[in-house]
Amino acid sequence: MSHPTSLTIMVLSDSVGGTASNVVHAALAQFPDVDYELKNFPFIREEDQLTVVLEKAKRFNAVVLHTFVDPILVETIETFCNGNEITCIDVLNPLIREVTSRTNTMPQHKPGAKHKLDDKYFNRISALEFAVQYDDGKDPKGFLEADIVILGISRTSKTPLSIYMANQGYKVANLPLMPESKLPDEIWQVDSNRMVGLTNEEEMLSNIRRERMLSYGMDPETPYSSKERIRKEIQYAEELYRKLNCQIINVSSKSIEETSAIIIDSLKNR
Amino acid sequence: MSHPTSLTIMVLSDSVGGTASNVVHAALAQFPDVDYELKNFPFIREEDQLTVVLEKAKRFNAVVLHTFVDPILVETIETFCNGNEITCIDVLNPLIREVTSRTNTMPQHKPGAKHKLDDKYFNRISALEFAVQYDDGKDPKGFLEADIVILGISRTSKTPLSIYMANQGYKVANLPLMPESKLPDEIWQVDSNRMVGLTNEEEMLSNIRRERMLSYGMDPETPYSSKERIRKEIQYAEELYRKLNCQIINVSSKSIEETSAIIIDSLKNR
């Protein structure tokens, strides 16, 4: 029996398909050599639509994940997959069943209820707008209103980190640090528990900055990417962080998700 | 036997805990009346750490979800949960096992491999920076470089939508529309298949804009929130969309996730 190293994975959902796609990406990250194609089929709400997609799953010999909550769709997909020897992973119902039995409450079976346009949703939207508005120290007023203030020299991922945390509902402002720039007075009024200083390795920053120059079609050997310059910036930043008495995170081998989790964790413990 | 309507759900992970938290939010959205607390325990990488957390799960009578990939941690959590009648949902291993048997490839058992700092990751980071840089029509050059150009009048969620799509790796620029503003010439050079026009219901926009004025501590009855004004803006925008021959999406009852899925779906079909 031959084993393919390439594989079709289908995500079927009554909404966007984001939850199951996340599961696929996390699980398949464990198989760097497996070439897989993720096909997303969002907004399936009728049996007819579902049947058409299931025929495709059979044709592609696909692994199927679904996040259906409507019992009719769940029954349809299970029957079809059992009858056609298709592996079908039900992402939500194990937890839904457990919650039902624990709380004696019936699920409402409403598709895509995760994306309801409630207060939490609008809170997240305005946090995202806040992050864009107060990115890059654009307006120092943001530092006083923010839940979290992120400081860092160039290329320590302040912007994506701010946005990632905004997407979790936090109001985040960030300030780029340069030894030559004057710090806004507001920064000294921010509670140090709400402030985080990002730093990075000299070597890493030098590579990132050289790459950036190259992507602009410029000579990579600029003062901006020189190690002397970077060392000076890192020293300046770390000295400032000590004066401000804020948390310091070295982002050199961390993704924004990891850095964010560390910040939220330490906020909780304060 | 009494059933609580409040419940503790614990997410245990060797990395950030994002995948399992998503599953919890999606499943619990089906129970609007169940009061639950999600406790996230990220970065568990040693048996000792895990045991401490599992004792907490027992004390809270919690439902447990995990995304461990290390066989020793998986074995530890399963043994403990079975022995203590704790419901434990394994989010990743059903799919990991299926991929193993399909492809005859062993998973690498590396924690948090989803967040590896690879090309795809840096692509996402630069897409996020692009979205912030070219938000709100700040620099018309962005329209020519973008994968997707989003147009819309005030309060049609251009910014959060741009950011959400950037987080999926798309380079997105957006342009706010006002009947009084001059359109940048670049907009006529953009391929209409890469352009999306957002619109909304008059009533909805009026409410959102009144709320916004109130949140600024201002009288809600401004020309900005008047229905005549909004009608004029919507007409102007929809006429422009027809001239540009771009896709039109009414966002009135859609979340950004849903709008994004519609745009990506139609990009694929073009």
Side-chain angles (χ1 to χ4, degrees), chain A residues 207-224:
Chain A
N207 290 341
I208 298 176
R209 290 183 178 187
R210 289 164 49 95
E211 287 294 327
R212 198 182 202 196
M213 286 299 112
L214 283 172
S215 78
Y216 289 161
M218 289 163 68
D219 182 350
E221 306 307 337
T222 62
Y224 172 75

Side-chain angles (χ1 to χ4, degrees), chain A residues 3-4 22 29-30 61 87 98 101-104 108-110 121 124 129 132 135 155 163 256-257, chain B residues 3-4 22 29-30 61 87 98 101-104 107-110 121 124 129 132 135 155 163 256-257:
Chain A
H3 290 280
N22 270 338
Q30 296 298 322
N61 188 26
T87 304
E98 178 66 18
S101 84
R102 285 276 199 121
T103 64
N104 204 22
Q108 57 178 4
H109 299 311
K110 237 165 98 177
Y121 173 80
R124 186 157 64 87
E129 290 172 337
V132 172
D135 182 53
R155 306 280 92 194
I163 286 176
I256 48 170
E257 288 87 348
Chain B
H3 291 282
N22 269 338
Q30 297 298 323
N61 187 26
T87 304
E98 177 67 19
S101 84
R102 284 276 200 121
T103 63
N104 204 22
Q108 57 178 4
H109 300 311
K110 236 166 102 176
Y121 174 80
R124 188 157 64 88
E129 291 172 337
V132 172
D135 184 52
R155 302 284 91 194
I163 287 174
I256 47 170
E257 287 88 346

Side-chain angles (χ1 to χ4, degrees), chain B residues 33-76:
Chain B
D33 298 330
V34 171
D35 193 22
Y36 71 99
E37 189 183 10
L38 170 60
K39 290 181 190 284
N40 189 21
F41 296 85
F43 303 121
I44 299 174
R45 306 223 166 145
E46 308 290 339
E47 261 192 277
D48 302 358
Q49 289 172 282
L50 177 55
T51 313
V52 174
V53 175
L54 286 172
E55 287 296 342
K56 284 192 188 168
K58 193 173 155 184
R59 217 157 55 240
F60 293 136
N61 187 26
V63 179
V64 170
L65 283 87
H66 81 84
T67 51
F68 292 123
V69 292
D70 175 4
I72 296 173
L73 296 182
V74 175
E75 170 75 28
T76 306

